[in-house]
């Protein structure tokens, strides 16, 4: 079977259990089993090639530029692990079918399990380290889901997060390591990397890469000091513990160390780091395991210990060590998975896993007893079982290993580890199955149905077969070892046999077994010492670190982002000024190319007023009406400034904009308090003053700089000046720029204006729906009203002016193309004319006489402008291309017709609509605020009846 | 003469006023036109992107005026990619807005949505800096309208901060434009590139200040620390589909930086050296740290996602700040990823809100539609935290790879990897509280039953996840394409030729004789 299908099968199959969930539990487990079985058989079809020493490969380019490709390879090592993953997977699925209860969502469980299986197969078949990383992290993620499978258990949630965090951290470190490795070699393909031992080990980045990769391996394989997550992962359902956390996933780190063995091992750094970590883990794991009362916790720490053992073997860097490691991986997978399943059976039947509440199960659960005892004895290293063989090899290797120049260190520690290892195995057997039968089990224990005991039984058969006839496993283990060594070393000649003669390893084994028995005898006093001794509780520490990190993060982030806008603005401004100053101070100031104009008294007076108004605003801004007036002065002076600089168009625009703005702001101020309260401390105001002054000085600086200097070459405005009449048909360059040269900008800006008005409308609309409405309804004016809201003088005057204003607007509009004016200004002028009617006679009265919905006017304006632009498409010209012609309709003079005028109509309409809609929106607030409204144009009208007038007030 | 290049701007710009004029009281009609318009946008954008994919630089002279005197739109491979991304995102977001009925909770949603699209499209397509300012204004004002859609005190307050901070940005933009025009006398980007080369090395202050101010404007849009303060509360408080659409808005800032600082002020220009190339990368790294720490610190899901957006955008900025072809190529790949992932997460946060009434990260009874929402959250979180197998991981590899040979390599790697870990922690905590811990909360029968999100909502989120998957599966092709784009950006002769050497009105001899 193609390797692609092999990897893809579990992923694709992961869809099935969820789908089949409602078809029943057996159907659900059945499809899962079928998927795994297909993959298993598919793997076996590749066996002949692997046995022949070939490496099966498959390749699809994914990201060739990066070097991340979908490259797979199957050699002895990969085959071995894939066999474990799929083979044990099949047993786990069968076991899981019977283990999960009716309340559990089996579809979800098997979906996660298959995702994990696919990821794991992916790891062992990857021929690309980046691809391997992807599968690597996928196992962390699927493990996260499986540990947290029982969502209601806090241990499950915490264990899942802990596992994800620790292995995720390792994964991230490994990303770094793999990238460095790839950069050294120039390829991320394992097959290439593995050929470059000298290159990698000579590179100065070897050590960082090694440490980063080992971080990944150690976290995944629960090596000290990252071992603590594994026991907490036992909150997962037992099939998961047996599968992920003993047989397969935790061996991923070891797999990777074996995979990288040819290029990374053999250096002093590798030897010291890996051997030490393995040795320490082995001993610590074994000691803790002895004192655990929860069967699964005991097994978890024993797993940690055995992983340490294998790591140590790989760390020695010898071919024999590698072979022993491979053999032990096989043996450990068989006996440990069997033990976990047995623990699950006991939990399932006796409803407890606490060793202190068990005992005497030998007669009650004979089948389980046989299975668990054989597996545990193998783990203890008792002859005729497979654990003995690889443990002997380990002790043999330990005898030849000298760490830190202390020859006895490794052998002694290895023996100590073995003593404790034997002790916890004996305790497991003795305290669970032997002893008197109790009468206080939480449930009556009995042997489970075959579905539960058969899978571990199959494994135990393997334990015994390999243990009795090691030569059966020998060729296979040597094949695997050969692919680990990758030609860097010879496969050792040593034969697998039970009796090696009276070698030191045998004595160490005997010491371990006897020592284990003695330890078990003195278990009670030993436990008292253990319980009395202070020791760090990993979970507490981890949770404390995470909580501390979260608290620290909150302390750092939340106060900084608490919505204090003036601080946001201050920080932003300081950053901007700082960056600008840096740019200024690192540049060269050239000589001025223009001379400053002499200032005449009028200009100075205008400037003086501008400054006075601005300074006044700073001091008087708490009085809102006054500040509005001061802002008005500023606007006015800016308008005059435009006149001074010969820009009448801008001046007119600015002036009309000022008028409209002031009117709208006055309306808005009507609903606000008259003064702004003092809310900030003196210190903060000092800070704001400093920032503002710095900003002002900076702005002055660049403005002054540019005022005295010409552009590097002719500005584009020269072109506009030269071609305004010729190309745009208008002598008013500003208008031609607005509607022709850069009509597209204007198009955008009228849209901005229109949106702003729609927005004001939407805002008031939502305000009126909310709590603001009640406040408006209960609002009491804070100042006495004049009484005459619609004075006759004003009504009469505005009526008279109205046609004049309209005419002026029309005139300004028409002349815009050649003289100062245009649609924008005309729109504002006409708006002012209409607004005056509203002011004079009130909103209701005026709007009753206007029949155009302002939304529509805005829409129409933007549409007209847009359609004018589109019109040029019909003569095959780009959007907004203008044209003009001169026509003569007697008796008038010849006049110009320009398409730009049509565009200007759009501008005009949008402006009128926007201003009026804003006004209407504010007025809606006013009407809510119980402002009296009349149906008459003015409150006091001599021509009306006295009763009428009274009624209106 | 074809007009397709301007269609992404004009189409929404015509649809929006039409909706205001003719259909402002009919949500059904608005929806129909809005969806039809966005679908058309996708088709047009895809065609434009296809057309530009071979390196063709299409230009469109507004009013038939040649650059630099008039405004031009430029459709090169970069701008059309962004336009296509926007259009595709818009459809997903729009479907969600309709499915969740967010569009009917206030007035003018669809009109503002179309105007917003117009602003974004214009910002991507324009080749003129002042026109870019105009489109920034359009998208700012439209986004403000969308942000406060449906009202509410918290939303209005956040909206004020949003618009105020961005008005500071607009003012700064004007300062920058004034400076640039005063220094060079032009606003067209290609022309600017030519004129910056004319600046005397002994008179550099003007252009240096101008280039820095301009970068800061874009940095505000891209939410680079310390100019990011406007983002968290405004994105968190915005209606979910709006926040999802805003996922592209930070990218407008990123796009503008890529465009301007490869075309006008590329790293090899002497007069502006030692500025942004000095401090942009540290600032981006700080943003990355702040964003991901914020993910861990957040007490509400919407804030969490908002901080994730800062972090995700910071990854883009880290990559941009390298100012190398590989860095830009990685950044462009990441931009697509980040946009889709952020949008998906904002919508997922809204699924949570719909299902249980709030987004506080506290244990509450299981929400309506929990299983599907949880699955989507898991996928979205994987994408955002940059875990395999989704494109976030590939993007992260690309960024790390691009940073390999630079001086700041160690810092980039440490901060990128550590912030990934922090975000994993943050997302795991959030997901565990929202979806797992809920099962241990005892809830009474008479609790308020919240509605399950509608199918269309799920379809919209699913579509985004699907796009992320495609972005991963075809990572090789996409990255190959972004690599080609980056190459053209650092070799902009085709761009400059197309912009500056295409004749327009009055530059043709025939036309001149007429007058």
């Amino acid at each position: 079977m193609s390797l692609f299908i092999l990897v893809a099968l579990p992923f694709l199959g992961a869809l099935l259990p969820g789908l089949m969930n409602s078809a029943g539990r057996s159907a659900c487990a059945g499809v899962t089993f079928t998927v795994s079985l297909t993959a298993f058989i598919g793997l076996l079809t590749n066996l002949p090639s692997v046995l022949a020493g070939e490496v099966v490969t498959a390749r699809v380019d994914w990201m060739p530029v990066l070097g991340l490709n979908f490259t797979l390879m199957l050699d002895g090592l990969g085959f071995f692990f894939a066999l474990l993953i799929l083979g044990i997977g099949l047993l786990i699925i069968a076991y899981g079918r019977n283990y999960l209860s009716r309340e559990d969502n089996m579809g979800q469980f098997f979906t996660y399990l298959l995702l994990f299986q696919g990821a794991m197969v992916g790891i062992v078949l990857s021929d690309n380290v980046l691809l391997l990383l992807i599968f690597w992290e996928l196992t962390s993620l699927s493990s996260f889901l499986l540990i947290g499978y029982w969502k209601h258990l806090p241990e499950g949630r915490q264990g899942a997060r802990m596992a994800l965090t620790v292995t995720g951290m390792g994964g991230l470190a490994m990303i770094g390591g793999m990238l460095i490795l790839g950069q050294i070699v120039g390829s991320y393909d394992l097959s290439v990397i593995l050929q470059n031992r000298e290159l990698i080990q000579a590179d100065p980045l070897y050590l960082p890469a090694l440490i980063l990769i080992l971080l990944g391996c150690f976290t995944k394989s629960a090596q000290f000091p990252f071992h603590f997550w594994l026991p907490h992962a036992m909150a997962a359902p037992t099939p998961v513990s047996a599968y992920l956390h003993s047989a397969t996933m935790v061996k991923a780190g070891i797999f990777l160390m074996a995979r990288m063995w040819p290029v990374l091992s053999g250096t002093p750094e590798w030897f010291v780091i890996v051997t030490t970590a393995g040795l320490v883990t082995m001993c610590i794991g074994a000691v803790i395991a002895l004192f655990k009362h929860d069967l699964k916790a005991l097994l978890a720490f024993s797993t940690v210990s055995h992983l340490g053992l294998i790591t140590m073997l790989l760390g020695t860097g010898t071919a024999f060590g590698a072979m022993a490691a491979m053999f032990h991986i096989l043996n450990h997978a068989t006996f440990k998975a069997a033990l976990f399943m047995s623990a699950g059976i006991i939990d399932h039947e006796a409803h407890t896993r606490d060793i202190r509440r068990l005992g005497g199960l030998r007669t009650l659960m004979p089948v389980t007893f046989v299975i668990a005892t054989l597996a545990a004895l193998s783990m203890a290293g008792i002859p005729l079982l497979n654990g003995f063989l690889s443990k002997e090899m380990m002790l043999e290797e330990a005898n030849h290993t000298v760490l830190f120049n202390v020859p006895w260190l490794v052998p002694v520690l290895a023996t100590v580890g073995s003593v404790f290892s034997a002790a916890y195995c004996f305790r497991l057997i003795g305290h669970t199955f032997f002893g008197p039968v109790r009468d206080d089990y939480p449930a009556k224990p009995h042997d489970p149905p075959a579905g539960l005991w058969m899978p571990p039984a199959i494994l135990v058969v393997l334990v015994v077969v390999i243990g009795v006839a090691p030569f059966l496993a020998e060729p296979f283990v040597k094949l695997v070892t050969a692919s680990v060594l990758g030609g860097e070393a010879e496969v050792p000649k040593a034969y697998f046999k039970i009796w090696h003669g009276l070698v030191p390893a045998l004595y160490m084994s005997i010491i371990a077994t006897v020592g284990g028995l003695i330890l078990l005898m003195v278990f009670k006093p030993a436990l008292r010492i253990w319980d009395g001794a202070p020791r760090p509780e990993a979970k507490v520490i981890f949770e404390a670190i995470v909580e501390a990190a979260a608290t620290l993060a909150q302390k750092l982030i939340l106060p900084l982002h608490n919505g204090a806008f003036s601080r946001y603005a201050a920080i932003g401004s300081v950053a901007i000024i700082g960056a600008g100053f840096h740019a200024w101070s690192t540049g060269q100031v050239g000589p001025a190319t223009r001379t400053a104009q002499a200032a005449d008294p009028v200009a100075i007076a205008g400037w003086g007023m501008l400054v006075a108004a601005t300074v006044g605003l700073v001091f008087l801004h708490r009085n809102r009406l006054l500040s509005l007036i001061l802002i008005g002065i500023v606007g006015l002076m800016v308008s005059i400034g435009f006149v001074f600089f010969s820009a009448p168009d801008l001046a007119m625009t600015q002036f009309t904009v000022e008028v409209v703005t002031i009117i709208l702001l006055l309306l808005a101020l009507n609903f606000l308090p008259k003064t702004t309260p003092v809310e900030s401390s003196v210190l903060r105001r000092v800070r704001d003053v400093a920032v503002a002054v710095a900003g002002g000085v900076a702005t002055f600086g660049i403005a002054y700089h540019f005022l005295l200097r010409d552009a590097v070459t002719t500005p584009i405005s020269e072109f506009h000046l030269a071609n305004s009449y010729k190309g745009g048909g208008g002598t008013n360059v500003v208008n031609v720029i607005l509607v022709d040269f850069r009509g597209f900008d204007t198009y955008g800006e009228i849209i901005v204006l229109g949106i702003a008005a729609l927005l004001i409308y939407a805002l008031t609309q939502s305000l009126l729906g909310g709590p603001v409405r009640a406040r408006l309804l209960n609002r009491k004016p804070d100042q006495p009203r004049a009484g005459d809201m619609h004075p006759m003088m004003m009504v009469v005057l505005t009526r008279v002016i109205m046609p004049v204003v309209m005419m002026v607007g029309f005139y300004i509009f028409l002349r815009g193309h050649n003289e100062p004016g245009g649609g924008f200004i005309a729109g504002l002028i006409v708006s002012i004319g209409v607004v005056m009617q509203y002011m004079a006679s009130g909103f209701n009265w005026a709007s009753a006489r206007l029949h155009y919905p302002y939304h529509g006017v805005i829409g129409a304006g933007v549409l007209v402008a847009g359609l004018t632009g589109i019109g040029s498409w019909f003569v095959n010209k780009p959007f907004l291309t203008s044209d003009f012609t001169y026509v003569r309709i007697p008796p008038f003079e010849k006049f110009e017709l320009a398409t730009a005028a049509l565009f200007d109509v759009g501008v005009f309409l949008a402006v009128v609509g926007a201003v009026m809609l804003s006004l209407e929106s504010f007025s809606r607030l006013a009407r809510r605020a119980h402002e009296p409204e009349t149906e008459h144009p003015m409150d006091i009208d001599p021509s009306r009846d006295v009763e009428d007038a009274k009624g209106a007030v | 003469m074809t007009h397709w290049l301007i269609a992404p701007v004009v189409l929404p710009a015509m649809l929006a006023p039409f909706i205001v004029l003719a259909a402002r009281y009919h949500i059904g009609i608005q929806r129909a036109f809005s969806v039809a318009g966005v679908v058309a946008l996708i088709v047009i954008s895809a065609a434009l992107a296809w057309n530009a994919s071979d390196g063709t630089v299409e230009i469109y002279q507004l009013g038939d005026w040649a650059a630099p005197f008039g405004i031009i739109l430029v459709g090169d491979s970069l701008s059309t990619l962004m336009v296509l991304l926007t259009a595709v995102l818009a459809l997903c977001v729009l479907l969600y807005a309709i499915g969740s009925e967010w569009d009917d909770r206030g007035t003018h949603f669809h009109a503002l949505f179309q105007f917003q699209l117009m602003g974004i499209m214009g910002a991507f397509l324009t080749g003129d800096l002042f026109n870019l300012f105009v489109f920034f204004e359009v998208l700012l004002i439209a986004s403000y309208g969308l942000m406060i859609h449906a009202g509410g005190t918290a939303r209005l307050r956040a909206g004020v901060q949003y618009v105020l901070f961005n008005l500071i940005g607009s003012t700064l933009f004007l300062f920058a434009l004034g400076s640039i025009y005063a220094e060079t006398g032009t606003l067209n980007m290609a022309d600017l590139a030519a004129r910056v080369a004319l600046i005397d090395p002994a008179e550099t202050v003007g252009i240096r200040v101008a280039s820095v101010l301009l970068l800061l404007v874009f940095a505000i849009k891209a939410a680079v620390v310390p100019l990011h303060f406007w983002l968290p509360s405004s994105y968190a408080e915005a209606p979910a589909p709006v926040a999802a659409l805003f996922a592209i808005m930070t990218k407008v800032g990123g796009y503008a930086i890529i465009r301007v600082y490869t075309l006008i002020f590329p790293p090899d220009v002497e007069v502006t050296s030692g500025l942004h190339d000095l401090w942009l990368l540290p600032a981006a790294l700080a943003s990355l740290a702040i964003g991901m720490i914020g993910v861990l610190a957040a007490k509400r899901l919407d804030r969490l996602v908002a901080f994730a957006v800062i972090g995700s955008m910071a990854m883009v900025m880290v990559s941009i700040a390298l100012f190398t072809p590989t860095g830009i190529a990685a950044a462009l790949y990441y931009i697509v990823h980040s946009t889709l992932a952020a949008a998906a997460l904002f919508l997922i946060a809204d699924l949570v809100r719909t299902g249980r009434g709030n987004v506080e990260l506290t244990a509450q009874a299981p929400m309506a539609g929990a299983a599907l929402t949880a699955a989507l959250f898991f996928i979205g979180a994987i994408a955002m935290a940059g875990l395999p197998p989704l494109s976030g991981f590939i993007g992260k590899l690309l960024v790390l790879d691009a940073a390999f040979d630079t001086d700041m390599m160690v810092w980039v790697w440490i901060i990128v990897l550590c912030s990934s870990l922090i975000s994993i922690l943050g997302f795991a905590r959030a997901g565990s509280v929202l979806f797992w811990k809920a099962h241990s909360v005892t809830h009474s029968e008479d609790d308020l039953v919240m509605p399950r999100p509608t199918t269309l909502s799920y379809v919209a989120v699913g579509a985004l996840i699907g796009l992320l998957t495609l972005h991963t599966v075809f990572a090789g092709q996409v990255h190959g394409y972004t690599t080609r784009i980056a190459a053209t950006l650092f070799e902009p002769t085709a761009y400059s030729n197309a912009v500056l050497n295409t004749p327009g009105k009055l530059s043709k001899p025939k036309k001149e004789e007429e007058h």
Side-chain angles (χ1 to χ4, degrees), chain A residues 62-63 65-66 133-134 137-138 141 144-145 148 151-152 157 160-161 164-165 169 172 175-176 179-180 183 188 205 546-547 549-550 553-554 556-558 560-561 563 565 568-569 571-572 575-576 579-580 582-584 586-591 699 702 705-706 710-717 719-720 723 726-727 740-742 744-745 747-749 751-752 755-756 758-759 761-763 765-767 853 855-856 859-860 862-863 866-867 870 873 876-882 884, chain B residues 1 3 6 9-10 13-14 17 20-21 24 60-65 68-71 107-108 112 115 118 128 130-131 134-135 137-138 141-142 144-145 148 151 156 161 164-165 172 175 179 181-186 195 199 201-206 208-209 212 216 226-229 232 274-275 278 290 293-294 297 299 303 307 378 382 387-389 393-394 396-398 400-401 404 413 417 420-421 424-425 428-429 432 436-437 439-440 472-473 475-476 479 505-506 508 515:
Chain A
W62 186 10
M63 298 195 68
V65 180
L66 180 65
L133 277 174
I134 290 178
E137 297 281 41
L138 275 181
L141 288 171
F144 172 76
L145 291 173
K151 305 175 178 73
H152 52 280
R157 296 196 298 269
R161 285 211 310 272
L164 182 69
T165 309
M169 180 188 76
L172 289 167
I175 293 177
L179 283 175
I180 295 177
Q183 294 280 356
Y188 292 110
L205 286 176
V546 170
E547 275 315 309
Q554 284 170 355
L556 187 72
I557 295 294
L558 299 185
L560 201 59
H561 299 82
F565 181 76
Y568 295 176
I571 295 175
I576 291 164
H582 170 252
W584 177 278
T586 51
Q588 305 285 324
V589 186
T699 314
I702 45 170
H705 174 83
F706 285 122
D710 288 311
V712 282
T713 176
T714 328
I716 51 169
S717 54
F719 175 89
H720 295 149
N723 293 291
K726 197 162 54 170
D740 195 342
F741 288 125
R742 299 189 70 95
F744 198 50
D745 281 343
Y747 183 56
E749 289 297 354
I751 286 176
V752 171
I755 299 172
L758 293 183
L759 216 151
Y761 175 80
L763 248 171
Q765 179 89 342
S766 66
L767 278 181
H855 296 268
V862 175
L863 271 180
L867 288 172
I870 290 175
W873 291 355
N876 207 21
K877 288 287 177 192
F879 192 70
L880 280 178
T881 305
S882 69
F884 54 90
Chain B
M1 150 125 253
H3 305 283
I6 201 174
V9 181
V10 167
M14 297 305 284
V20 173
L21 183 65
R24 64 181 174 279
Y60 192 84
Q61 298 169 326
L62 270 305
D64 205 20
W65 294 107
F69 310 112
I71 296 166
T107 41
H108 293 316
L112 290 171
F115 275 135
M118 175 221 174
D128 185 282
F130 189 81
N131 197 232
V134 171
F135 281 115
E137 292 303 286
V138 173
I141 194 87
Y144 178 52
I148 56 173
L156 290 180
Q161 300 205 343
L164 278 183
F165 207 99
L172 194 63
F175 284 10
S179 306
Y181 187 75
E183 183 72 33
T184 63
T186 191
R195 293 189 183 204
I199 291 173
E203 298 172 20
T204 56
V205 276
R208 288 174 78 81
V209 172
V212 162
L216 290 169
L227 304 171
H228 68 290
F229 288 105
L275 296 174
L278 192 70
I290 296 269
I293 294 173
K299 290 181 171 171
R303 301 274 294 189
F307 275 107
F378 186 67
I382 286 175
L387 285 174
F393 179 73
I394 291 171
K396 183 156 63 189
L397 287 184
L398 289 171
L400 293 175
D401 186 60
F404 188 77
W413 280 37
L417 292 175
S420 293
L421 182 65
I424 292 172
L425 205 57
R429 279 165 65 92
S432 161
W436 285 354
K437 209 169 179 181
H439 290 272
S440 58
T472 313
V473 172
H479 180 241
K505 200 194 252 184
L506 293 192
K508 295 171 201 158
H515 296 282

Side-chain angles (χ1 to χ4, degrees), chain B residues 403-449:
Chain B
F404 188 77
D405 286 326
T406 58
D407 304 334
M408 295 280 286
M409 174 215 167
V410 176
W411 286 106
V412 173
W413 280 37
I414 288 176
I415 292 174
V416 167
L417 292 175
C418 288
S419 63
S420 293
L421 182 65
I422 295 171
S423 70
I424 292 172
L425 205 57
F427 276 111
R429 279 165 65 92
S432 161
V433 166
L434 286 175
F435 301 106
W436 285 354
K437 209 169 179 181
H439 290 272
S440 58
V441 173
T442 47
H443 52 287
S444 56
E445 288 300 317
D446 46 76
D447 277 348
L448 188 65
V449 179

Side-chain angles (χ1 to χ4, degrees), chain B residues 35-82:
Chain B
V35 171
V38 173
V39 170
L41 269 185
I42 292 180
V43 175
I44 294 167
S45 313
L48 288 175
W50 175 257
N51 185 43
S53 61
D54 59 355
T56 311
V57 179
E58 187 97 7
I59 72 155
Y60 192 84
Q61 298 169 326
L62 270 305
D64 205 20
W65 294 107
F69 310 112
I71 296 166
I72 53 149
L73 302 183
V74 186
D76 67 344
S77 46
L78 174 60
S79 55
T80 52
L81 173 72
M82 299 304 292

Side-chain angles (χ1 to χ4, degrees), chain A residues 675-696:
Chain A
T675 54
T676 312
V678 183
E679 283 172 324
S680 45
S681 64
V682 177
L683 212 63
R684 186 173 300 172
R685 273 179 283 161
V686 168
R687 175 199 73 183
D688 293 347
V689 166
V691 173
V693 168

Side-chain angles (χ1 to χ4, degrees), chain B residues 287-332:
Chain B
S287 311
L288 184 55
I290 296 269
M292 292 314 183
I293 294 173
V295 168
L296 182 59
K299 290 181 171 171
R300 286 172 41 170
L301 186 58
D302 49 9
R303 301 274 294 189
L304 183 148
V305 181
F307 275 107
V309 166
I310 293 181
S312 180
M313 188 59 211
M315 274 290 274
V316 174
M317 289 307 301
V318 166
S319 199
I320 291 175
L322 300 171
F323 289 113
T324 58
T326 47
I328 300 289
L332 290 175

Side-chain angles (χ1 to χ4, degrees), chain B residues 102-163:
Chain B
W102 262 109
D103 59 346
D104 205 18
R105 294 184 210 178
T107 41
H108 293 316
F109 180 87
H110 290 284
L112 290 171
F113 189 86
Q114 294 294 330
F115 275 135
Q116 169 84 4
L117 285 182
M118 175 221 174
I120 298 172
M121 297 299 193
F124 286 139
L125 286 173
T126 187
D128 185 282
L129 269 190
F130 189 81
N131 197 232
L132 182 66
F133 169 77
V134 171
F135 281 115
F136 268 34
E137 292 303 286
V138 173
L139 63 82
L140 170 61
I141 194 87
S143 65
Y144 178 52
L146 286 171
M147 220 216 99
I148 56 173
H149 176 76
T153 311
R155 190 168 292 147
L156 290 180
R157 187 176 296 142
V160 168
Q161 300 205 343
Y162 170 76
V163 81

Side-chain angles (χ1 to χ4, degrees), chain B residues 270-292:
Chain B
E270 192 119 332
V271 290
T272 52
S273 64
L275 296 174
H276 49 272
D277 41 350
L278 192 70
W279 48 256
L280 188 59
L281 187 54
L285 288 172
S287 311
L288 184 55
I290 296 269
M292 292 314 183

